[in-house]
Amino acid sequence: MRIPGSDEGQRSRRPAGVVGPVLSLAVGFWLAAAAAGALDAGATSSGTPEPLARVANDFIAITVNAGAYDTGRFAVDTTGGDPGRSGDENQPLIYGRPEPWTSYTTLRIDGRNYAFGGRTQRRAGAACSFGQLLQAPTVSGNTIQCAWQEGPVRVTQILSLVKGPTTSWPDTALISYVLENTDSSPHQVGVRVMLDTMLGSNDGAPFRFGSQAITTDQTFSGGAIPDFWQAFDSLKAGSEKVIAQGTLRDPAVTVPDRVVVSNWGSLADEPWNLTDLTPGRDFTRKGEYELDSAIALYWDERPLGPGQRRVVSTEYGLGGITMAPGQLSVGVSAPSQVVANPANPPQITIVAYVQNVGPGDALNTLVQLKLPDGMRLQDGEADARVLGRLNVGQTGQAVWHAVVLASQAQTLEIQVVAQSVTAGKNQVVRHLQVLAPGRLQVQVFAPASADLSGADLPYIPVRAVITNVGAGPIYQAQAKLGLPVNLEPARMESPVRFLGTLEPRDQVTVIWKVQPVFGASGNVPYSVQAEGRGTQPVNRNQFLRLPPLQPRLVLVKAPNSSWQQGYVTVFVQLQNVKDFAKARVEVHFDPKRLQVLDVSRGVLLAEPGAEGVWSPPAVDNARGVVVLQVARRPVDVKEGQLAAIHFYPVGDGNAAVRVTTAEIRRAAPAAQKADLLPVPVALDQAGLVLTPSLKMLPSVLSF
């Protein structure tokens, strides 16, 4: 636990004689829906205002540090908390008051560790490298999103408010990281999310993993990783306050490869694997004397190919436990709803907690699970668990794994019965809602044709409206834009958009900008596909008509060119020519008002690799004619300068400059015998009017 305002080097130490563990839990993750957004201001330890991005609802709030340091790090707090419980209002779930910094995410790329977000001046993540900011923390509806370029990988953090899996209230933070390889080579990419959580003001509650209460260093991997973990104060009526839950297995999240629980100091100092992980060691903060636990979730390194994307997600928020008070106080936790799937029946975890809150020890304690029709235990599991002796105040726990066979929407009752020869009997009923599947609908709105008449190829908007028209949620929904070889996304546009969880009737609008590949034409097909866990993909095919590009010659006055410098420059520009190889161009001008000072080769002929032939231009100032003859290695010209003509004035008034003759040739395809082919060129814009002025000439000028 950290005292708000203290630096990491000056931890609060418990006075001598104070007994009891100080446990600062840690877990958290990202994305989705249900709140109002705001941009707040907190205060740093020095008292300087620190900008914060925040989304909140009636249950919890997510806060992201948007300051100069530790940018992108986040915290989770309750607002109103659980509506059925008092005392959990305005309590921290992840440490971060006044501004988050103790929890951080590591991107491991080819063995190098990057801390997601901005640089730090403190202990947590100081050993990492740091990337470049692409998007500062931005609030949009109920989501906070930010992005950094970490070496060759673009990493986007998305945090939103979603329904909790055991509560059905929007009391959970969905935390996701979208990883995109922006390089042309594959890279090994892994993610570690370390969370320094707090359970209100109580740092002493153990992590409850399945049938275990965890209070020392441990690692879980593979099948040992539970569906969820919880932490709470007590099951005694009136004593329970904050109940926290981290979800590790669920359709909405990505199962980590490993989960490590240790002290915050070790996890803060070491950005990837812990070298000092010691099974059985308590959570005393490394280098100090206070207990301070944290949790790290690992998605180990695996290949990410060029242009490939990967999403890792987890959830952290409030936990749902249905409780029955008594001498044996009984609580049961399980998902509040599942989506029916007869072809692949969903499997759920049911956890029972039994606390002896009576005056004497509970002997021979037994807890039994009773399932309704439409559910069964997994093969090999028994419905009864022996907890044995529970001392006064002691809590025992049991876990079962069940299969939901129900194929129609309905509500099922799960019953847990606890009994002891000395403490009597108690039971609790928890309801499980079976939902019909979600169903995606995709509508696409985009122009039927593109206008390619301008010099620059336009970006064409493609808008897709994606709606869940089914009765159940759709998890990890994505929208994908499928483009042929003659269409490409605009710069920095990704064809895949991660939508998170779509509840029934949720609707999301996605807009992409696409651009035709140079030279493309015809009726070009493309597609928009939406998909998610637990539903069938939906694909919509569209067409975009691309008219053939029109080759053109244009004359353009150079920007900032003025008679006050003694001359004006006019660029002879070629546009929209495939495999350009050779040109002969005649430019006419008014010799009574203009004369040519010089003609220089354009960028198209001077760029590296052009291998251009620049013949000295023929300039006839008496007749007002410039003849250009150029050639170069064949190249696709979207827009390029053939030459720059520098005019000086010899009279006042309007003077026309225009192209009267243009012979453009391109390299012939390999299948044709001719070396060069003529290109018809539009000359409609191959002219301009200059207004020379002798009065504007510099006082001292010589040519």
Side-chain angles (χ1 to χ4, degrees):
M1 176 180 178
R2 269 154 297 289
I3 294 178
S6 69
D7 192 272
E8 86 289 343
Q10 298 177 3
R11 304 297 188 193
S12 61
R13 289 184 169 84
R14 290 198 146 204
V18 176
V19 180
V22 180
L23 189 63
S24 177
L25 306 181
V27 170
F29 287 52
W30 145 130
L31 188 64
L39 190 65
D40 298 335
T44 64
S45 56
S46 63
T48 304
E50 191 75 17
L52 303 171
R54 186 174 185 266
V55 291
N57 60 17
D58 291 338
F59 304 90
I60 66 168
I62 303 170
T63 303
V64 176
N65 194 328
Y69 292 94
D70 303 311
T71 320
R73 301 190 185 190
F74 65 91
V76 179
D77 301 88
T78 66
T79 52
D82 188 333
R85 181 178 300 111
S86 61
D88 66 349
E89 300 86 3
N90 301 310
Q91 298 294 320
L93 294 175
I94 295 177
Y95 181 86
R97 297 181 178 184
E99 80 275 359
W101 67 271
T102 60
S103 303
Y104 70 99
T105 296
T106 304
L107 285 307
R108 189 169 175 86
I109 303 171
D110 299 328
R112 183 177 180 181
N113 298 319
Y114 294 82
F116 178 81
R119 294 184 176 275
T120 186
Q121 293 181 312
R122 304 195 249 198
R123 177 177 181 179
C128 292
S129 299
F130 294 87
Q132 294 181 326
L133 173 67
L134 298 177
Q135 180 187 6
T138 304
V139 175
S140 177
N142 65 343
T143 297
I144 306 174
Q145 180 170 310
C146 53
W148 264 261
Q149 186 74 31
E150 312 286 3
V153 180
R154 177 189 173 102
V155 185
T156 304
Q157 173 183 278
I158 308 172
L159 307 171
S160 328
L161 303 167
V162 297
K163 284 185 177 180
T166 60
T167 65
S168 290
W169 297 104
D171 57 10
T172 294
L174 176 61
I175 304 153
S176 297
Y177 292 90
V178 182
L179 317 171
E180 182 177 5
N181 182 358
T182 59
D183 198 11
S184 58
S185 301
H187 295 278
Q188 295 286 327
V189 181
V191 180
R192 188 194 85 165
V193 176
M194 187 276 283
L195 297 155
D196 180 17
T197 64
M198 277 186 80
L199 198 61
S201 60
N202 178 11
D203 289 331
F207 295 99
R208 298 187 182 274
F209 278 63
S211 60
Q212 303 179 65
I214 309 300
T215 58
T216 60
D217 282 15
Q218 288 201 40
T219 298
F220 300 85
S221 61
I225 296 176
D227 289 4
F228 57 87
W229 63 265
Q230 294 181 326
F232 51 83
D233 298 344
S234 171
L235 294 177
K236 185 177 180 180
S239 298
E240 74 283 355
K241 289 187 179 179
V242 179
I243 296 179
Q245 176 171 316
T247 302
L248 305 176
R249 294 181 187 271
D250 186 78
V253 306
T254 311
V255 181
D257 295 300
R258 293 177 287 144
V259 178
V260 173
V261 181
S262 187
N263 73 86
W264 176 84
S266 292
L267 288 170
D269 294 343
E270 301 196 50
W272 194 250
N273 290 328
L274 296 191
T275 58
D276 68 342
L277 187 72
T278 307
R281 180 183 63 181
D282 68 17
F283 296 138
T284 299
R285 187 188 306 133
K286 183 179 179 180
E288 300 185 40
Y289 306 103
E290 291 183 336
L291 292 174
D292 186 0
S293 73
I295 190 168
L297 285 72
Y298 292 80
W299 292 268
D300 288 332
E301 288 178 282
R302 49 179 55 92
L304 188 66
Q308 285 188 344
R309 291 161 59 91
R310 182 181 306 145
V311 179
V312 297
S313 303
T314 195
E315 292 178 337
Y316 179 71
L318 295 177
I321 300 178
T322 304
M323 289 184 284
Q327 188 168 337
L328 281 181
S329 187
V330 183
V332 61
S333 186
S336 59
Q337 59 185 33
V338 296
V339 176
N341 187 350
N344 185 20
Q347 301 181 17
I348 67 170
T349 296
I350 303 167
V351 180
Y353 304 106
V354 181
Q355 184 178 15
N356 178 13
V357 297
D361 295 345
L363 305 180
N364 299 328
T365 307
L366 180 75
V367 60
Q368 185 176 17
L369 175 68
K370 296 183 179 181
L371 295 178
D373 293 339
M375 293 183 69
R376 67 169 178 84
L377 283 170
Q378 287 189 7
D379 294 341
E381 289 208 21
D383 60 359
R385 298 284 193 273
V386 176
L387 301 182
R389 182 186 187 121
L390 293 180
N391 298 328
V392 175
Q394 185 179 356
T395 299
Q397 52 198 77
V399 60
W400 296 271
H401 303 92
V403 180
V404 182
L405 303 172
S407 60
Q408 296 181 346
Q410 59 186 291
T411 300
L412 303 176
E413 288 190 353
I414 300 170
Q415 185 177 11
V416 173
V417 179
Q419 55 187 337
S420 163
V421 296
T422 57
K425 182 178 180 179
N426 198 3
Q427 65 183 34
V428 63
V429 173
R430 183 171 175 86
H431 294 97
L432 173 66
Q433 188 177 12
V434 181
L435 305 174
R439 184 164 59 88
L440 288 166
Q441 179 188 79
V442 178
Q443 298 170 286
V444 180
F445 305 91
S449 62
D451 180 8
L452 305 183
S453 60
D456 294 327
L457 295 182
Y459 288 128
I460 302 154
V462 175
R463 180 168 66 95
V465 178
I466 299 161
T467 309
N468 179 3
V469 296
I474 298 173
Y475 301 106
Q476 295 198 2
Q478 295 186 97
K480 298 180 180 179
L481 180 65
L483 298 177
V485 294
N486 40 16
L487 283 177
E488 61 186 7
R491 183 177 180 272
M492 302 300 291
E493 284 271 80
S494 172
V496 181
R497 299 291 178 82
F498 183 63
L499 309 179
T501 299
L502 297 181
E503 297 291 342
R505 296 179 297 280
D506 275 358
Q507 186 175 89
V508 179
T509 298
V510 179
I511 298 177
W512 291 276
K513 292 181 180 179
V514 301
Q515 186 180 38
V517 173
F518 181 75
S521 63
N523 212 23
V524 178
Y526 66 95
S527 66
V528 174
Q529 184 185 75
E531 61 182 18
R533 288 188 180 180
T535 188
Q536 293 294 318
V538 176
N539 196 73
R540 291 287 177 266
N541 295 317
Q542 300 285 115
F543 287 89
L544 176 65
R545 188 178 66 82
L546 301 176
L549 289 174
Q550 296 298 315
R552 300 192 309 164
L553 264 174
V554 296
L555 298 182
V556 179
K557 179 177 173 291
N560 302 320
S561 185
S562 168
W563 299 114
Q564 291 177 332
Q565 65 188 20
Y567 63 93
V568 162
T569 300
V570 173
F571 294 133
V572 182
Q573 294 190 165
L574 183 65
Q575 297 174 352
N576 303 335
V577 178
K578 292 281 292 182
D579 297 317
F580 165 73
K582 190 174 183 180
R584 182 184 183 278
V585 178
E586 289 189 13
V587 179
H588 284 243
F589 59 92
D590 183 352
K592 295 180 180 180
R593 292 180 171 84
L594 299 173
Q595 294 283 280
V596 174
L597 174 64
D598 186 29
V599 181
S600 56
R601 71 178 68 194
V603 175
L604 187 61
L605 305 173
E607 61 189 11
E611 297 182 1
V613 176
W614 172 255
S615 300
V619 178
D620 188 336
N621 274 324
R623 294 176 52 231
V625 179
V626 177
V627 179
L628 305 171
Q629 296 191 74
V630 300
R632 64 153 291 159
R633 172 186 288 185
V635 64
D636 291 340
V637 179
K638 180 180 176 182
E639 182 173 84
Q641 295 175 12
L642 293 177
I645 304 175
H646 310 287
F647 292 102
Y648 67 92
V650 293
D652 297 318
N654 293 335
V657 181
R658 67 187 187 278
V659 175
T660 57
T661 303
E663 298 175 3
I664 309 297
R665 296 183 179 273
R666 68 182 180 88
Q672 298 191 26
K673 295 181 180 180
D675 291 332
L676 299 175
L677 298 176
V679 178
V681 178
L683 298 180
D684 56 308
Q685 293 191 18
L688 54 78
V689 175
L690 300 180
T691 307
S693 174
L694 297 175
K695 296 178 181 179
M696 295 181 65
L697 289 175
S699 57
V700 178
L701 181 66
S702 62
F703 295 114

